[in-house]
Amino acid sequence: MSETSVRPPAVPFGEAVKTWARIAALSFGGPAGQIAVMHRILVEEKRWLGERRFLHALNYCMLLPGPEAQQLAIYIGWLMHRTAGGLVAGLLFVLPGFLAIMALSILYALYGGAGPVSALFFGLKAAVLVVVLQAVIRVGGRSLRNPVMIGLAAAAFVGIYAFDIPFPVIILAAGLIGFLGGRARMKAFLVGGGHGPKVTHEVADADTVLGEETPDHARPHLIWALQTGAVLALLWLTPVLGLGLTFGWDNVFSEIAVFFSKMAVVTFGGAYAVLAYVAQEAVQTYGWLKPGEMLDGLGMAETTPGPLIIVTQFVGFMGAYRNAAGMDPLTAGVLGGILTTWVTFVPCFLWIFLGAPFVEALRGARALNAALAAITAAVVGVILNLAIWFALHVLFAQVASVRIGPMTLDVPDLASVNLPGLLLSLAAGVAAFRFKVGVIPLLLGCAAAGVAYYLATGGAPPS
């Protein structure tokens, strides 16, 4: 991957590695929290880049599929130290979460049915339900600023909840509507979105390490972009094709590789939006997980550093663990988790290295920003579907699918309600919305409540 020469970076590479490791260790709280950490350290504290350049990079990452926080780290790492900087920043951002989720997945597979462990995850489920509901309100408050956006959100919810329209179709349709609305200069679509930091005082680009000028290596270079893109595409797709051609496309590892590769291309709108798609496919289509187990995985991801979408590693682990087909289940699970992480995150490097040199062409691109606004609005409806789907399958032991004309609705058996889970979820909601308890304290408190319930009753709580 050859690149044009550039002046020696003002920040030593070793210092950059230490900084990215620090950011990775502090990357809790979902994309909004992770972006805030990067902004505080890189813009306000280190002054590597200024406010406008940071937000311009963030806006570009928001237009891409995948976890925008990790892609922002890759982008800034690349700006500072070229390809090596982008690789280090992106890998370190994922590494702590990867190691933590792998260890938790192994423990879950071996001891998840044990009373204390089951009790802990029983408590986490209640907290995660509230966290997802908070995401609906947070994203909705940011993006549903007019009747058109509210209508898009409502249509997305009805489409996925009642008509089982696939998530990728909803996102592509919303993006197309927004793009056309932006081209037509319709005011309803010309609204912002994203997880941008709250700025109290602006750090000027001219007062930072990068300055105002574009580094030589960051200028469009078609040959380098194509060479780099080809290498990353091969790294991404070679395992997918190799597994399918060697073991058949119905093998669990081939299914994992294909499904999560497809997900990596359509994951617009953030982690909570795509989790509805992943949860329903993993549970209903592939049978890798039970509905409550998806919430367990999300609880793991919420309490560990790194991108929230790292929960997919848990899904791949459990899918391979339960479909080992002659292989040691634990070995199969570890390989499934590694494979899932690989095909989920390698494309992130591809999108940045291939497109970042041409990002200046997107500055002020009205139609693309309008497409993002429409996608963000549709995501509100998708996340609401996720919250309802989780709630039905966690709070009720029996949920039936009722067909009404072309619609299919999930209807719970009210007599099968999980009363302890319902009461703990209500308590978690009061703590989060009334007393503004943070995500990590909420998760830890609910986990402790689940264990306390187990100890008080002498048996594992209902799940």
Side-chain angles (χ1 to χ4, degrees), residues 93-407:
F93 196 85
V94 173
L95 186 59
F98 168 78
L99 295 175
I101 295 296
M102 183 63 75
L104 290 171
S105 297
I106 293 172
L107 291 174
Y108 189 89
L110 295 177
Y111 307 110
V117 177
S118 176
L120 185 147
F121 281 103
F122 162 74
L124 281 178
K125 286 184 180 74
V128 170
L129 282 174
V130 175
V131 170
V132 175
L133 184 59
Q134 284 182 313
V136 176
I137 296 171
R138 182 177 64 249
V139 179
R142 188 181 69 239
S143 59
L144 305 185
R145 300 180 181 177
N146 58 61
V148 172
M149 294 300 170
I150 294 173
L152 279 173
F157 171 74
V158 172
I160 197 169
Y161 180 76
F163 295 96
D164 292 326
I165 297 176
F167 170 78
V169 173
I170 289 174
I171 294 303
L172 290 174
L176 179 60
I177 291 170
F179 182 83
L180 295 175
R183 288 288 299 270
R185 298 177 179 270
M186 296 175 62
K187 279 189 175 183
F189 294 96
L190 304 181
V191 296
H195 303 287
K198 295 180 180 179
V199 180
T200 54
H201 63 279
E202 181 171 313
V203 176
D205 290 338
D207 298 331
T208 63
V209 173
L210 280 173
E212 294 181 307
E213 296 182 1
T214 301
D216 290 342
H217 72 275
R219 301 181 189 279
H221 194 287
L222 183 60
I223 294 177
W224 174 83
L226 292 177
Q227 289 175 340
T228 305
V231 170
L232 289 168
L234 284 173
L235 288 172
W236 171 22
L237 296 175
T238 297
V240 180
L241 295 173
L243 287 167
L245 295 175
T246 303
F247 300 106
W249 296 106
D250 57 348
N251 177 271
V252 66
F253 292 105
S254 302
E255 290 178 339
I256 287 171
V258 170
F259 173 68
F260 287 107
S261 291
K262 180 172 64 174
M263 187 205 71
V265 179
V266 299
T267 50
F268 297 93
Y272 287 112
V274 75
L275 284 178
Y277 174 50
V278 173
Q280 290 181 336
E281 290 295 306
V283 173
Q284 297 175 359
T285 302
Y286 296 103
W288 294 336
L289 297 174
K290 299 174 184 176
E293 291 175 335
M294 188 67 197
L295 270 179
D296 293 338
L298 189 53
M300 295 179 193
E302 290 278 11
T303 51
T304 53
L308 192 60
I309 199 65
I310 197 73
V311 65
T312 57
Q313 178 187 333
F314 170 74
V315 177
F317 180 100
M318 295 305 297
Y321 179 84
R322 288 173 171 160
N323 298 274
M327 185 183 296
D328 173 64
L330 207 57
T331 301
V334 170
L335 292 175
I338 294 172
L339 175 62
T340 302
T341 305
W342 182 266
V343 298
T344 298
F345 290 101
V346 169
C348 296
F349 294 91
L350 173 62
W351 310 143
I352 295 298
F353 289 151
L354 187 62
F358 304 92
V359 69
E360 293 302 320
L362 293 176
R363 190 183 296 274
R366 179 182 291 108
L368 289 176
N369 289 328
L372 174 61
I375 289 172
T376 306
V379 159
V380 177
V382 175
I383 302 175
L384 179 60
N385 170 73
L386 173 68
I388 292 175
W389 189 83
F390 275 158
L392 289 176
H393 287 86
V394 170
L395 300 181
F396 297 91
Q398 297 179 11
V399 179
S401 293
V402 177
R403 193 160 187 86
I404 304 175
M407 298 187 298

Side-chain angles (χ1 to χ4, degrees), residues 40-58:
R40 176 172 57 82
I41 294 175
L42 301 179
V43 177
E44 298 178 1
E45 179 184 323
K46 298 288 186 179
R47 292 182 177 258
W48 284 3
L49 71 168
E51 198 71 52
R52 293 186 180 183
R53 179 164 254 158
F54 183 92
L55 292 176
H56 180 58
L58 176 58

